[in-house]
Amino acid sequence: LLLASTVKLGNDRHGNSVYTPMNNMLPLLNPNDIVWGGWDINSTNLGDAMKRSKVLEYDLQQKLYPHMKDIKPLPSIYFPDFIAANQGERADNVLSGTKQEQMEQIRKDIRDFKANNGLDQVILLWTANTERFSAVEEGVNDTAENILSSIEMGEAEVSASTVFAVASILEGSTFINGSPQNTFVPGVIELARQKKVFIAGDDFKSGQTKMKSVMVDFLVSAGIKPVSIVSYNHLGNNDGKNLSAPSQFRSKEISKSNVVDDMVASNRILFEEDEHPD
């Protein structure tokens, strides 16, 4: 997106399409100007975590390791009720204290990271485990005032991702959610509007979701009816392990099915109302 994406400007006098790099049209950052940091409930440095995951090819790992081995995650928020029980064995880098105290620590981490690196702005990107859905309850997370009060009182239905989102909003930092749970409960959305801070996202579309959407769009547009879709998690590693728990998988299932449902709804010749692939 920063360096390799292009935009069509129009046509030249011969009718040929004219494209230009996107960074010629928008003031995009050079990737070398980005400073990376973050939190994790596991203390392993990013270099060893990369080796442990075995996703990137070996030669690329060797090139990246010197740049990643000294990046160690800050202690993070760990609410066991929201992620699979099998994550407990790796949770050796967690914050303590009340939910309010943990949120204040995250806010301090954001301020310190910005100041220590001389940054213009900080953007938070949630790439952690998929959580179960939070119950949206009146008086708990339905308004900005209530979500702040619920964090202060340690309400059970406030997830770690929501605490991070609120901390980010209060620090004036954009928050992007890369997992399918309902981090942005109504109170968080209202708070973001009040503070005029950007929030976005309800799941990444980078792996099988991207492939699935491309294939289903192609098939439905070609008049071919997909009747069943089966997915396998080959490179999910710990994410796949976390999703083995039913409540966490349900969050992902809703996100995945929504991608397909939008495309199915575009062709009522192939699919009747409320019909969708298995």
Side-chain angles (χ1 to χ4, degrees), residues 9 12 23 25 40 43 50 57 59 61 76 81 87 89 99 129 163 178 197 229 234 238 244 257 260 263-264:
L9 292 178
D12 63 18
N23 58 19
M25 300 183 65
D40 199 278
S43 61
M50 172 184 63
E57 62 180 27
D59 290 343
Q61 288 186 36
S76 191
D81 181 52
Q87 298 303 296
E89 62 193 43
K99 290 191 176 183
N129 279 327
V163 173
V197 175
I229 299 171
H234 291 295
N238 192 64
S244 65
S257 64
V260 175
M263 296 168 190
V264 166

Side-chain angles (χ1 to χ4, degrees), residues 7-68:
V7 177
K8 183 176 179 180
L9 292 178
N11 299 319
D12 63 18
R13 61 191 180 90
H14 301 294
N16 299 314
S17 297
V18 177
Y19 296 88
T20 189
M22 185 181 291
N23 58 19
N24 283 348
M25 300 183 65
L26 294 172
L28 299 177
L29 281 176
N30 186 300
N32 292 329
D33 294 330
I34 299 175
V35 180
W36 299 96
W39 304 261
D40 199 278
I41 63 172
N42 185 255
S43 61
T44 306
N45 68 71
L46 294 195
D48 290 336
M50 172 184 63
K51 289 184 174 182
R52 181 180 62 192
S53 67
K54 301 178 181 178
V55 173
L56 301 180
E57 62 180 27
Y58 178 79
D59 290 343
L60 181 56
Q61 288 186 36
Q62 295 301 105
K63 294 176 182 177
L64 291 175
Y65 187 81
H67 304 284
M68 299 178 68

Side-chain angles (χ1 to χ4, degrees), residues 32-252:
N32 292 329
D33 294 330
I34 299 175
V35 180
W36 299 96
W39 304 261
D40 199 278
I41 63 172
N42 185 255
S43 61
T44 306
N45 68 71
L46 294 195
D48 290 336
M50 172 184 63
K51 289 184 174 182
R52 181 180 62 192
S53 67
K54 301 178 181 178
V55 173
L56 301 180
E57 62 180 27
Y58 178 79
D59 290 343
L60 181 56
Q61 288 186 36
Q62 295 301 105
K63 294 176 182 177
L64 291 175
Y65 187 81
H67 304 284
M68 299 178 68
K69 64 180 177 64
D70 294 326
I71 303 177
K72 186 177 171 115
L74 295 167
S76 191
I77 299 173
Y78 175 52
F79 298 158
D81 181 52
F82 281 90
I83 57 177
N86 58 32
Q87 298 303 296
E89 62 193 43
R90 63 186 296 272
D92 64 355
N93 192 44
V94 300
L95 292 172
S96 59
T98 66
K99 290 191 176 183
Q100 180 70 31
E101 290 170 341
Q102 293 186 53
M103 184 185 74
E104 294 300 335
Q105 181 60 52
I106 297 302
R107 293 186 63 181
K108 182 179 183 300
D109 291 342
I110 295 171
R111 292 193 299 269
D112 290 348
F113 185 75
K114 184 176 183 179
N116 293 340
N117 292 285
L119 304 177
D120 294 327
Q121 60 178 304
V122 176
I123 298 174
L124 269 69
L125 179 64
W126 178 271
T127 62
N129 279 327
T130 296
E131 299 170 324
R132 68 165 175 82
F133 265 57
S134 300
V136 178
E137 299 176 358
E138 185 176 351
V140 175
N141 49 20
D142 56 330
T143 68
E145 182 181 359
N146 287 338
I147 191 66
L148 291 173
S149 177
S150 293
I151 293 173
E152 184 176 2
M153 294 187 296
E155 286 285 351
E157 280 305 307
V158 179
S159 68
S161 64
T162 292
V163 173
F164 265 98
V166 170
S168 183
I169 292 167
L170 294 177
E171 290 302 317
S173 296
T174 295
F175 185 91
I176 302 172
N177 176 35
S179 293
Q181 71 273 338
N182 60 338
T183 297
F184 300 142
V185 291
V188 172
I189 296 172
E190 183 179 299
L191 182 66
R193 286 174 174 158
Q194 289 179 0
K195 301 297 183 180
K196 294 181 172 56
V197 175
F198 290 115
I199 58 173
D202 65 358
D203 199 4
F204 286 130
K205 196 180 197 180
S206 56
Q208 59 169 295
T209 309
K210 185 69 173 179
M211 180 60 67
K212 181 189 301 182
S213 60
V214 169
M215 290 301 298
V216 172
D217 183 48
F218 168 75
L219 292 171
V220 172
S221 298
I224 301 171
K225 179 179 180 178
V227 296
S228 179
I229 299 171
V230 179
S231 298
Y232 296 92
N233 194 323
H234 291 295
L235 296 176
N237 288 296
N238 192 64
D239 180 57
K241 185 177 181 181
N242 179 63
L243 291 174
S244 65
S247 58
Q248 282 71 36
F249 179 75
R250 180 58 182 158
S251 297
K252 180 69 76 171

Side-chain angles (χ1 to χ4, degrees), residues 212 216 220 224-230 250 253-254 256-268 270-278:
K212 181 189 301 182
V216 172
V220 172
I224 301 171
K225 179 179 180 178
V227 296
S228 179
I229 299 171
V230 179
R250 180 58 182 158
E253 186 178 32
I254 292 171
K256 300 285 190 188
S257 64
N258 287 345
V259 172
V260 175
D261 289 345
D262 291 342
M263 296 168 190
V264 166
S266 70
N267 192 324
R268 289 305 176 197
L270 296 179
F271 296 93
E272 298 180 1
E273 195 73 31
D274 296 327
E275 182 187 9
H276 54 81
D278 294 333

